[in-house]
Amino acid sequence: MALHIHEAWILLLVIPALVTPAAINHEDYPADEGDQTSSNDNLIFDDYRGKGCVDDSGFVYKLGERFFPGHSNCPCVCTEDGPVCDQPECPKIHPKCTKVEHNGCCPECKEVKNFCEYHGKNYKILEEFKPSPCEWCRCEPSNEVHCVVADCAVPECVNPVYEPEQCCPVCKNGPNCFAGTTIIPAGIEVKVDDCNICHCHNGDWWKPAQCSKRECQGKQAL
């Protein structure tokens, strides 16, 4: 009986030695999720400082390589200190621009108003209009309104009138001038009272009439 017990003890000592590390299948013992995550993180979040530059989409550029960080950015050069980008002087956007695109380094106007605004009204490009009887205007392609104001001649009378839809005043009764407070027609001598006969200056209708005294009818009657 003692012999059998001794042999069993020897077998218990030998069996663990027969099991080698190669015999263990690692697939039966998957790594912990924490270990897998840490290994994947090392692949995704590489540090490119001093080695390259990364654009908005995650693409890596080498040192000295020229690239665009994003669709609306200016071109940059990758340096050890990071991207060094151009800063050009962009043209000014038209104040009447209604559509601006930012697909390049500088913003670009794609649409400008196709009408002019003048005194609260809209006019088409190249449209001509008269905001008043003395103004002639046109809507220019630049969306600006250019106007010409009529230059009226000096009327040949002292009582001109303005007719509807007419720019310049007209002398409805022809040329005339003042003889005192009386308006007399030009071109003829007019007896304004019993002693004075007057006539208008030739061409100078705004000047007072020239008058000369004649023998008064009142005195003749006496």
Short mmCIF file of all heavy atoms in Angstrom, two decimals, residues 4-50:
data_model
loop_
_atom_site.label_atom_id
_atom_site.label_comp_id
_atom_site.label_asym_id
_atom_site.label_seq_id
_atom_site.Cartn_x
_atom_site.Cartn_y
_atom_site.Cartn_z
N HIS A 4 2.14 2.16 -3.60
CA HIS A 4 1.17 2.81 -4.49
C HIS A 4 1.03 4.29 -4.17
O HIS A 4 0.90 5.13 -5.05
CB HIS A 4 -0.20 2.13 -4.36
CG HIS A 4 -0.20 0.73 -4.94
ND1 HIS A 4 0.02 0.47 -6.27
CD2 HIS A 4 -0.38 -0.48 -4.34
CE1 HIS A 4 -0.05 -0.84 -6.49
NE2 HIS A 4 -0.29 -1.46 -5.30
N ILE A 5 1.06 4.67 -2.95
CA ILE A 5 0.95 6.09 -2.57
C ILE A 5 2.16 6.85 -3.08
O ILE A 5 2.06 7.97 -3.59
CB ILE A 5 0.84 6.21 -1.04
CG1 ILE A 5 -0.48 5.60 -0.58
CG2 ILE A 5 0.93 7.67 -0.61
CD1 ILE A 5 -0.62 5.55 0.93
N HIS A 6 3.33 6.31 -3.02
CA HIS A 6 4.54 6.97 -3.50
C HIS A 6 4.51 7.19 -4.99
O HIS A 6 4.89 8.26 -5.49
CB HIS A 6 5.76 6.13 -3.08
CG HIS A 6 7.06 6.76 -3.50
ND1 HIS A 6 7.57 7.92 -2.91
CD2 HIS A 6 7.98 6.38 -4.45
CE1 HIS A 6 8.71 8.22 -3.47
NE2 HIS A 6 8.99 7.27 -4.42
N GLU A 7 4.02 6.23 -5.75
CA GLU A 7 3.93 6.37 -7.22
C GLU A 7 2.93 7.46 -7.59
O GLU A 7 3.14 8.23 -8.52
CB GLU A 7 3.53 5.04 -7.84
CG GLU A 7 4.62 3.96 -7.70
CD GLU A 7 4.15 2.61 -8.22
OE1 GLU A 7 2.94 2.52 -8.52
OE2 GLU A 7 4.99 1.71 -8.35
N ALA A 8 1.82 7.53 -6.90
CA ALA A 8 0.82 8.57 -7.21
C ALA A 8 1.40 9.95 -6.96
O ALA A 8 1.13 10.91 -7.69
CB ALA A 8 -0.43 8.34 -6.35
N TRP A 9 2.21 10.13 -5.94
CA TRP A 9 2.82 11.44 -5.63
C TRP A 9 3.80 11.85 -6.71
O TRP A 9 3.87 13.01 -7.07
CB TRP A 9 3.53 11.31 -4.28
CG TRP A 9 4.23 12.57 -3.86
CD1 TRP A 9 5.55 12.77 -3.86
CD2 TRP A 9 3.63 13.75 -3.42
NE1 TRP A 9 5.85 14.02 -3.41
CE2 TRP A 9 4.64 14.67 -3.15
CE3 TRP A 9 2.29 14.14 -3.20
CZ2 TRP A 9 4.40 15.93 -2.67
CZ3 TRP A 9 2.08 15.40 -2.71
CH2 TRP A 9 3.11 16.31 -2.47
N ILE A 10 4.52 10.89 -7.26
CA ILE A 10 5.46 11.18 -8.36
C ILE A 10 4.71 11.66 -9.59
O ILE A 10 5.11 12.58 -10.28
CB ILE A 10 6.33 9.95 -8.67
CG1 ILE A 10 7.25 9.66 -7.47
CG2 ILE A 10 7.14 10.15 -9.93
CD1 ILE A 10 8.05 8.38 -7.62
N LEU A 11 3.56 11.04 -9.93
CA LEU A 11 2.76 11.45 -11.09
C LEU A 11 2.24 12.87 -10.96
O LEU A 11 2.21 13.64 -11.91
CB LEU A 11 1.59 10.47 -11.28
CG LEU A 11 1.97 9.06 -11.76
CD1 LEU A 11 0.75 8.16 -11.76
CD2 LEU A 11 2.60 9.11 -13.14
N LEU A 12 1.84 13.26 -9.77
CA LEU A 12 1.35 14.63 -9.55
C LEU A 12 2.46 15.66 -9.77
O LEU A 12 2.21 16.77 -10.20
CB LEU A 12 0.80 14.77 -8.14
CG LEU A 12 -0.51 14.01 -7.86
CD1 LEU A 12 -0.88 14.12 -6.39
CD2 LEU A 12 -1.63 14.55 -8.72
N LEU A 13 3.70 15.29 -9.52
CA LEU A 13 4.81 16.21 -9.71
C LEU A 13 5.21 16.30 -11.17
O LEU A 13 5.70 17.34 -11.63
CB LEU A 13 6.01 15.77 -8.88
CG LEU A 13 5.83 15.86 -7.35
CD1 LEU A 13 7.05 15.29 -6.65
CD2 LEU A 13 5.57 17.28 -6.93
N VAL A 14 5.03 15.23 -11.96
CA VAL A 14 5.49 15.18 -13.35
C VAL A 14 4.49 15.85 -14.29
O VAL A 14 4.85 16.51 -15.25
CB VAL A 14 5.76 13.73 -13.77
CG1 VAL A 14 6.06 13.66 -15.26
CG2 VAL A 14 6.91 13.16 -12.95
N ILE A 15 3.18 15.73 -14.06
CA ILE A 15 2.15 16.22 -15.00
C ILE A 15 2.25 17.72 -15.24
O ILE A 15 2.23 18.18 -16.37
CB ILE A 15 0.76 15.82 -14.49
CG1 ILE A 15 0.58 14.32 -14.64
CG2 ILE A 15 -0.33 16.57 -15.26
CD1 ILE A 15 -0.72 13.80 -14.04
N PRO A 16 2.43 18.58 -14.22
CA PRO A 16 2.55 20.03 -14.53
C PRO A 16 3.76 20.36 -15.37
O PRO A 16 3.73 21.30 -16.15
CB PRO A 16 2.68 20.67 -13.14
CG PRO A 16 2.03 19.71 -12.22
CD PRO A 16 2.37 18.35 -12.77
N ALA A 17 4.83 19.61 -15.25
CA ALA A 17 6.02 19.88 -16.06
C ALA A 17 5.79 19.58 -17.52
O ALA A 17 6.46 20.12 -18.38
CB ALA A 17 7.19 19.05 -15.51
N LEU A 18 4.86 18.63 -17.82
CA LEU A 18 4.58 18.30 -19.22
C LEU A 18 3.78 19.38 -19.94
O LEU A 18 3.74 19.42 -21.16
CB LEU A 18 3.83 16.96 -19.28
CG LEU A 18 4.60 15.74 -18.78
CD1 LEU A 18 3.72 14.50 -18.81
CD2 LEU A 18 5.86 15.52 -19.62
N VAL A 19 3.13 20.24 -19.19
CA VAL A 19 2.32 21.29 -19.81
C VAL A 19 3.23 22.50 -20.07
O VAL A 19 3.64 23.18 -19.14
CB VAL A 19 1.15 21.71 -18.89
CG1 VAL A 19 0.33 22.78 -19.56
CG2 VAL A 19 0.30 20.50 -18.57
N THR A 20 3.63 22.75 -21.36
CA THR A 20 4.55 23.84 -21.75
C THR A 20 3.75 25.08 -22.13
O THR A 20 2.56 25.00 -22.48
CB THR A 20 5.42 23.40 -22.93
OG1 THR A 20 4.56 23.12 -24.02
CG2 THR A 20 6.20 22.15 -22.57
N PRO A 21 4.42 26.25 -22.15
CA PRO A 21 3.72 27.48 -22.57
C PRO A 21 3.23 27.42 -24.01
O PRO A 21 2.23 28.01 -24.35
CB PRO A 21 4.81 28.56 -22.43
CG PRO A 21 5.73 28.02 -21.39
CD PRO A 21 5.74 26.53 -21.59
N ALA A 22 3.89 26.69 -24.90
CA ALA A 22 3.46 26.59 -26.29
C ALA A 22 2.14 25.88 -26.40
O ALA A 22 1.42 26.00 -27.39
CB ALA A 22 4.53 25.87 -27.12
N ALA A 23 1.84 25.06 -25.42
CA ALA A 23 0.60 24.31 -25.51
C ALA A 23 -0.62 25.15 -25.18
O ALA A 23 -1.75 24.72 -25.37
CB ALA A 23 0.67 23.11 -24.55
N ILE A 24 -0.42 26.35 -24.64
CA ILE A 24 -1.55 27.22 -24.29
C ILE A 24 -1.96 28.01 -25.51
O ILE A 24 -1.14 28.66 -26.16
CB ILE A 24 -1.16 28.15 -23.15
CG1 ILE A 24 -0.78 27.34 -21.91
CG2 ILE A 24 -2.31 29.10 -22.83
CD1 ILE A 24 -0.29 28.20 -20.77
N ASN A 25 -3.22 27.97 -25.89
CA ASN A 25 -3.75 28.70 -27.04
C ASN A 25 -4.20 30.07 -26.58
O ASN A 25 -5.13 30.20 -25.79
CB ASN A 25 -4.93 27.91 -27.64
CG ASN A 25 -5.37 28.51 -28.96
OD1 ASN A 25 -4.91 29.56 -29.34
ND2 ASN A 25 -6.24 27.79 -29.66
N HIS A 26 -3.52 31.11 -27.05
CA HIS A 26 -3.86 32.48 -26.63
C HIS A 26 -5.21 32.92 -27.14
O HIS A 26 -5.79 33.86 -26.61
CB HIS A 26 -2.78 33.46 -27.12
CG HIS A 26 -1.46 33.26 -26.41
ND1 HIS A 26 -1.24 33.73 -25.15
CD2 HIS A 26 -0.33 32.62 -26.83
CE1 HIS A 26 0.01 33.40 -24.78
NE2 HIS A 26 0.57 32.73 -25.79
N GLU A 27 -5.73 32.31 -28.20
CA GLU A 27 -7.04 32.69 -28.69
C GLU A 27 -8.12 32.38 -27.68
O GLU A 27 -9.20 32.96 -27.70
CB GLU A 27 -7.34 31.98 -30.01
CG GLU A 27 -6.40 32.40 -31.13
CD GLU A 27 -6.74 31.69 -32.42
OE1 GLU A 27 -7.65 30.84 -32.36
OE2 GLU A 27 -6.13 32.00 -33.45
N ASP A 28 -7.82 31.40 -26.77
CA ASP A 28 -8.81 31.07 -25.76
C ASP A 28 -8.85 32.11 -24.66
O ASP A 28 -9.75 32.11 -23.82
CB ASP A 28 -8.49 29.70 -25.14
CG ASP A 28 -8.61 28.59 -26.19
OD1 ASP A 28 -9.37 28.81 -27.16
OD2 ASP A 28 -7.94 27.57 -26.03
N TYR A 29 -7.84 33.04 -24.66
CA TYR A 29 -7.77 34.05 -23.62
C TYR A 29 -7.65 35.43 -24.29
O TYR A 29 -6.56 35.97 -24.42
CB TYR A 29 -6.57 33.81 -22.70
CG TYR A 29 -6.64 32.46 -22.00
CD1 TYR A 29 -6.02 31.36 -22.57
CD2 TYR A 29 -7.33 32.34 -20.79
CE1 TYR A 29 -6.09 30.12 -21.94
CE2 TYR A 29 -7.39 31.12 -20.17
CZ TYR A 29 -6.78 29.99 -20.74
OH TYR A 29 -6.84 28.79 -20.13
N PRO A 30 -8.77 36.00 -24.78
CA PRO A 30 -8.71 37.31 -25.47
C PRO A 30 -8.26 38.38 -24.51
O PRO A 30 -8.49 38.32 -23.31
CB PRO A 30 -10.14 37.54 -25.92
CG PRO A 30 -10.98 36.72 -24.98
CD PRO A 30 -10.15 35.50 -24.65
N ALA A 31 -7.59 39.43 -25.07
CA ALA A 31 -7.10 40.54 -24.25
C ALA A 31 -8.27 41.34 -23.72
O ALA A 31 -9.36 41.35 -24.27
CB ALA A 31 -6.18 41.44 -25.08
N ASP A 32 -8.01 42.01 -22.63
CA ASP A 32 -9.05 42.85 -22.06
C ASP A 32 -9.38 43.99 -23.01
O ASP A 32 -8.55 44.44 -23.79
CB ASP A 32 -8.56 43.43 -20.72
CG ASP A 32 -8.41 42.32 -19.68
OD1 ASP A 32 -9.04 41.26 -19.87
OD2 ASP A 32 -7.64 42.53 -18.72
N GLU A 33 -10.63 44.49 -22.94
CA GLU A 33 -11.04 45.59 -23.81
C GLU A 33 -10.19 46.83 -23.57
O GLU A 33 -9.90 47.60 -24.47
CB GLU A 33 -12.52 45.91 -23.57
CG GLU A 33 -13.44 44.78 -24.03
CD GLU A 33 -14.89 45.17 -23.82
OE1 GLU A 33 -15.13 46.28 -23.31
OE2 GLU A 33 -15.77 44.37 -24.18
N GLY A 34 -9.78 47.04 -22.32
CA GLY A 34 -8.94 48.20 -22.02
C GLY A 34 -7.61 48.13 -22.73
O GLY A 34 -7.11 49.13 -23.24
N ASP A 35 -7.00 46.92 -22.81
CA ASP A 35 -5.73 46.78 -23.52
C ASP A 35 -5.90 47.06 -25.00
O ASP A 35 -5.07 47.68 -25.65
CB ASP A 35 -5.15 45.37 -23.30
CG ASP A 35 -4.81 45.13 -21.83
OD1 ASP A 35 -4.62 46.14 -21.11
OD2 ASP A 35 -4.75 43.96 -21.43
N GLN A 36 -7.05 46.54 -25.61
CA GLN A 36 -7.29 46.77 -27.05
C GLN A 36 -7.48 48.26 -27.34
O GLN A 36 -6.96 48.79 -28.30
CB GLN A 36 -8.53 45.99 -27.49
CG GLN A 36 -8.31 44.47 -27.54
CD GLN A 36 -9.56 43.77 -28.02
OE1 GLN A 36 -10.64 44.33 -28.00
NE2 GLN A 36 -9.40 42.54 -28.43
N THR A 37 -8.19 48.94 -26.48
CA THR A 37 -8.46 50.36 -26.71
C THR A 37 -7.18 51.17 -26.66
O THR A 37 -6.94 52.04 -27.48
CB THR A 37 -9.45 50.88 -25.67
OG1 THR A 37 -10.64 50.09 -25.72
CG2 THR A 37 -9.79 52.34 -25.93
N SER A 38 -6.32 50.84 -25.69
CA SER A 38 -5.09 51.62 -25.57
C SER A 38 -4.19 51.42 -26.78
O SER A 38 -3.56 52.34 -27.26
CB SER A 38 -4.35 51.22 -24.29
OG SER A 38 -4.00 49.83 -24.33
N SER A 39 -4.15 50.20 -27.34
CA SER A 39 -3.32 49.97 -28.52
C SER A 39 -3.87 50.68 -29.73
O SER A 39 -3.14 51.25 -30.53
CB SER A 39 -3.21 48.45 -28.78
OG SER A 39 -4.49 47.92 -29.05
N ASN A 40 -5.22 50.72 -29.89
CA ASN A 40 -5.82 51.43 -31.02
C ASN A 40 -5.63 52.93 -30.89
O ASN A 40 -5.42 53.64 -31.88
CB ASN A 40 -7.31 51.10 -31.11
CG ASN A 40 -7.55 49.65 -31.51
OD1 ASN A 40 -6.69 49.05 -32.14
ND2 ASN A 40 -8.71 49.11 -31.16
N ASP A 41 -5.69 53.44 -29.66
CA ASP A 41 -5.51 54.86 -29.47
C ASP A 41 -4.13 55.31 -29.92
O ASP A 41 -3.96 56.39 -30.47
CB ASP A 41 -5.72 55.23 -28.00
CG ASP A 41 -7.19 55.12 -27.59
OD1 ASP A 41 -8.01 55.02 -28.52
OD2 ASP A 41 -7.48 55.11 -26.38
N ASN A 42 -3.15 54.50 -29.72
CA ASN A 42 -1.80 54.86 -30.14
C ASN A 42 -1.69 55.00 -31.65
O ASN A 42 -0.90 55.77 -32.17
CB ASN A 42 -0.79 53.80 -29.64
CG ASN A 42 -0.65 53.84 -28.12
OD1 ASN A 42 -0.87 54.88 -27.51
ND2 ASN A 42 -0.29 52.71 -27.53
N LEU A 43 -2.52 54.27 -32.40
CA LEU A 43 -2.49 54.33 -33.85
C LEU A 43 -3.25 55.55 -34.37
O LEU A 43 -2.87 56.17 -35.34
CB LEU A 43 -3.09 53.05 -34.45
CG LEU A 43 -2.29 51.76 -34.19
CD1 LEU A 43 -3.04 50.56 -34.75
CD2 LEU A 43 -0.90 51.85 -34.79
N ILE A 44 -4.34 55.92 -33.71
CA ILE A 44 -5.20 57.00 -34.20
C ILE A 44 -4.64 58.36 -33.84
O ILE A 44 -4.59 59.28 -34.65
CB ILE A 44 -6.63 56.84 -33.64
CG1 ILE A 44 -7.25 55.55 -34.18
CG2 ILE A 44 -7.49 58.04 -34.01
CD1 ILE A 44 -8.61 55.24 -33.59
N PHE A 45 -4.17 58.51 -32.63
CA PHE A 45 -3.75 59.80 -32.14
C PHE A 45 -2.22 59.92 -32.14
O PHE A 45 -1.60 60.13 -31.10
CB PHE A 45 -4.30 60.05 -30.73
CG PHE A 45 -5.80 60.01 -30.68
CD1 PHE A 45 -6.46 58.90 -30.16
CD2 PHE A 45 -6.54 61.07 -31.16
CE1 PHE A 45 -7.84 58.87 -30.12
CE2 PHE A 45 -7.93 61.04 -31.12
CZ PHE A 45 -8.58 59.93 -30.60
N ASP A 46 -1.65 59.78 -33.31
CA ASP A 46 -0.20 59.96 -33.42
C ASP A 46 0.15 61.43 -33.27
O ASP A 46 -0.62 62.32 -33.63
CB ASP A 46 0.30 59.44 -34.77
CG ASP A 46 0.30 57.92 -34.81
OD1 ASP A 46 0.32 57.32 -33.72
OD2 ASP A 46 0.26 57.36 -35.91
N ASP A 47 1.31 61.70 -32.77
CA ASP A 47 1.77 63.06 -32.56
C ASP A 47 2.66 63.47 -33.73
O ASP A 47 3.74 62.91 -33.93
CB ASP A 47 2.56 63.15 -31.25
CG ASP A 47 2.92 64.58 -30.90
OD1 ASP A 47 2.52 65.48 -31.67
OD2 ASP A 47 3.57 64.79 -29.87
N TYR A 48 2.17 64.46 -34.55
CA TYR A 48 2.91 64.88 -35.73
C TYR A 48 3.67 66.18 -35.50
O TYR A 48 4.19 66.77 -36.44
CB TYR A 48 1.94 65.08 -36.91
CG TYR A 48 1.33 63.79 -37.38
CD1 TYR A 48 0.01 63.48 -37.05
CD2 TYR A 48 2.05 62.89 -38.14
CE1 TYR A 48 -0.56 62.29 -37.47
CE2 TYR A 48 1.49 61.69 -38.56
CZ TYR A 48 0.18 61.39 -38.23
OH TYR A 48 -0.38 60.23 -38.64
N ARG A 49 3.71 66.63 -34.26
CA ARG A 49 4.40 67.88 -34.00
C ARG A 49 5.89 67.76 -34.34
O ARG A 49 6.57 66.86 -33.89
CB ARG A 49 4.23 68.26 -32.53
CG ARG A 49 2.82 68.75 -32.20
CD ARG A 49 2.66 69.06 -30.72
NE ARG A 49 2.83 67.86 -29.91
CZ ARG A 49 2.71 67.84 -28.59
NH1 ARG A 49 2.47 68.97 -27.93
NH2 ARG A 49 2.86 66.70 -27.92
N GLY A 50 6.35 68.73 -35.15
CA GLY A 50 7.74 68.70 -35.59
C GLY A 50 8.00 67.74 -36.72
O GLY A 50 9.12 67.64 -37.21
#
